[in-house]
Amino acid sequence: MLYLRRVVQGYVTSKAFAIEKQGGFQPVVFLLADFGYQANATTIETKKEVKEKIQN
């Protein structure tokens, strides 16, 4: 089944371009910040053991 209604959060400089090239259509782009949504620009992932080692 093909779903034509999708929402993807990504970087406006690359994701929209990739969707247009791979999907063959120009996506509608909304800046979520214009609607009050404050996304995290960067996340940090680590193992629990590393976190504990740093805290000690």
Side-chain angles (χ1 to χ4, degrees):
M1 179 178 281
L2 178 63
Y3 295 99
L4 298 178
R5 295 175 188 248
R6 292 281 186 211
V7 175
V8 177
Q9 180 180 342
Y11 293 102
V12 69
T13 55
S14 63
K15 297 296 184 190
F17 178 75
I19 290 170
E20 187 171 351
K21 287 293 187 184
Q22 293 177 18
F25 66 94
Q26 188 172 15
V28 177
V29 177
F30 297 98
L31 297 177
L32 297 178
D34 290 348
F35 296 92
Y37 181 75
Q38 304 247 333
N40 295 325
T42 305
T43 59
I44 300 172
E45 296 180 29
T46 188
K47 293 181 179 180
K48 182 180 177 182
E49 296 83 19
V50 173
K51 178 185 166 211
E52 290 171 352
K53 184 177 180 181
I54 292 172
Q55 288 179 337
N56 292 333

